[in-house]
Amino acid sequence: MSSDPSTWWEALPTLAKSLWAIALFFSLLFVLRTVIKFFGGDNDIHDGDVDGYNSYRFFTIKNVVAFFTLFGWTGLAAVQVGWGTAGSLIAAVIAGSAMVALMMFLMRKAAGRKHSGTLDLRNAIGLTGQAYLPIPAVRTGTGKVHVKVQGGVKELDAMTDDSATIPTGALVQVTKVINGRILLVSTR
């Protein structure tokens, strides 16, 4: 290999020059996108990734950059080990496609983990909590309970069918939701 970059470049076959151009250009785009995203300057609107549904489409800027970055570097590696034009291009396409498939899989998994944040009291049924304010006997009034539901401790209205008032500090179990907003609890 010559120490003069222009001599080295001129000695490269056309395929290697093309792969170098693709690899360097898309790697630069990848680094720029990463830096911009790190500093909060990218909100994915230009990717068409405005909501969770679109965040794992095939043709997005993220996927194109990832595809061609891996395409270029894999193609160069294959050319370097002597796989020839066809083998190098096949390896590059497979690697780029695998990267896009991996990104789509990860985005789908991430989108599946999103939740609206809206508390669904039905998720409290069967959970144990603690009376915060006394809960009057036989549904004669409401008290308050602390229940860990949906990842956080919530203070919620509660009633009971028990024959005695449930005092502050007593452990209770949620048995039902009344009118979609009040927990029915029991000390049993």
mmCIF file of all heavy atoms in Angstrom, residues 12 16 40 60 94 102 110 119-121 167:
data_model
loop_
_atom_site.group_PDB
_atom_site.id
_atom_site.type_symbol
_atom_site.label_atom_id
_atom_site.label_comp_id
_atom_site.label_asym_id
_atom_site.label_seq_id
_atom_site.Cartn_x
_atom_site.Cartn_y
_atom_site.Cartn_z
ATOM 1 N N LEU A 12 -7.510 1.469 -6.384
ATOM 2 C CA LEU A 12 -8.694 0.706 -5.967
ATOM 3 C C LEU A 12 -9.597 0.388 -7.157
ATOM 4 O O LEU A 12 -9.768 1.223 -8.058
ATOM 5 C CB LEU A 12 -9.524 1.502 -4.946
ATOM 6 C CG LEU A 12 -8.983 1.638 -3.535
ATOM 7 C CD1 LEU A 12 -9.893 2.553 -2.722
ATOM 8 C CD2 LEU A 12 -8.864 0.278 -2.863
ATOM 9 N N ALA A 16 -14.686 -1.073 -4.982
ATOM 10 C CA ALA A 16 -14.140 -0.653 -3.692
ATOM 11 C C ALA A 16 -14.293 0.859 -3.504
ATOM 12 O O ALA A 16 -14.638 1.326 -2.410
ATOM 13 C CB ALA A 16 -12.679 -1.068 -3.556
ATOM 14 N N GLY A 40 -30.571 16.835 21.644
ATOM 15 C CA GLY A 40 -32.001 17.144 21.641
ATOM 16 C C GLY A 40 -32.497 17.878 20.425
ATOM 17 O O GLY A 40 -33.601 18.402 20.433
ATOM 18 N N THR A 60 -37.513 4.618 6.389
ATOM 19 C CA THR A 60 -37.321 5.844 7.160
ATOM 20 C C THR A 60 -35.876 6.276 6.951
ATOM 21 O O THR A 60 -35.034 5.483 6.502
ATOM 22 C CB THR A 60 -37.575 5.626 8.671
ATOM 23 O OG1 THR A 60 -36.596 4.718 9.174
ATOM 24 C CG2 THR A 60 -38.972 5.098 8.943
ATOM 25 N N ILE A 94 -27.275 -8.428 2.488
ATOM 26 C CA ILE A 94 -27.748 -9.236 3.621
ATOM 27 C C ILE A 94 -27.472 -8.514 4.940
ATOM 28 O O ILE A 94 -28.343 -8.427 5.806
ATOM 29 C CB ILE A 94 -27.110 -10.642 3.598
ATOM 30 C CG1 ILE A 94 -27.693 -11.449 2.437
ATOM 31 C CG2 ILE A 94 -27.331 -11.364 4.922
ATOM 32 C CD1 ILE A 94 -26.986 -12.777 2.178
ATOM 33 N N LEU A 102 -33.348 -5.844 12.348
ATOM 34 C CA LEU A 102 -33.086 -5.740 13.788
ATOM 35 C C LEU A 102 -33.656 -4.439 14.348
ATOM 36 O O LEU A 102 -34.292 -4.435 15.411
ATOM 37 C CB LEU A 102 -31.582 -5.821 14.065
ATOM 38 C CG LEU A 102 -31.155 -5.626 15.520
ATOM 39 C CD1 LEU A 102 -31.719 -6.746 16.395
ATOM 40 C CD2 LEU A 102 -29.643 -5.554 15.625
ATOM 41 N N ALA A 110 -40.063 -1.829 21.551
ATOM 42 C CA ALA A 110 -40.121 -0.589 22.325
ATOM 43 C C ALA A 110 -41.521 0.020 22.271
ATOM 44 O O ALA A 110 -42.033 0.502 23.276
ATOM 45 C CB ALA A 110 -39.092 0.414 21.804
ATOM 46 N N LEU A 119 -54.496 5.525 34.347
ATOM 47 C CA LEU A 119 -54.691 4.497 35.363
ATOM 48 C C LEU A 119 -55.952 3.700 35.056
ATOM 49 O O LEU A 119 -57.022 4.260 34.879
ATOM 50 C CB LEU A 119 -54.807 5.138 36.755
ATOM 51 C CG LEU A 119 -55.034 4.198 37.920
ATOM 52 C CD1 LEU A 119 -53.864 3.232 38.065
ATOM 53 C CD2 LEU A 119 -55.219 4.981 39.203
ATOM 54 N N ASP A 120 -55.800 2.395 34.970
ATOM 55 C CA ASP A 120 -56.931 1.489 34.783
ATOM 56 C C ASP A 120 -57.131 0.768 36.116
ATOM 57 O O ASP A 120 -56.348 -0.094 36.495
ATOM 58 C CB ASP A 120 -56.640 0.488 33.665
ATOM 59 C CG ASP A 120 -57.823 -0.421 33.355
ATOM 60 O OD1 ASP A 120 -58.840 -0.375 34.085
ATOM 61 O OD2 ASP A 120 -57.726 -1.180 32.375
ATOM 62 N N LEU A 121 -58.176 1.152 36.837
ATOM 63 C CA LEU A 121 -58.402 0.600 38.169
ATOM 64 C C LEU A 121 -58.597 -0.907 38.162
ATOM 65 O O LEU A 121 -58.352 -1.567 39.171
ATOM 66 C CB LEU A 121 -59.603 1.282 38.833
ATOM 67 C CG LEU A 121 -59.390 2.746 39.217
ATOM 68 C CD1 LEU A 121 -60.650 3.317 39.862
ATOM 69 C CD2 LEU A 121 -58.201 2.902 40.146
ATOM 70 N N PRO A 167 -59.984 0.403 59.729
ATOM 71 C CA PRO A 167 -59.224 1.529 60.282
ATOM 72 C C PRO A 167 -57.995 1.887 59.434
ATOM 73 O O PRO A 167 -57.505 1.081 58.642
ATOM 74 C CB PRO A 167 -58.790 1.006 61.655
ATOM 75 C CG PRO A 167 -58.693 -0.467 61.476
ATOM 76 C CD PRO A 167 -59.764 -0.830 60.489
#
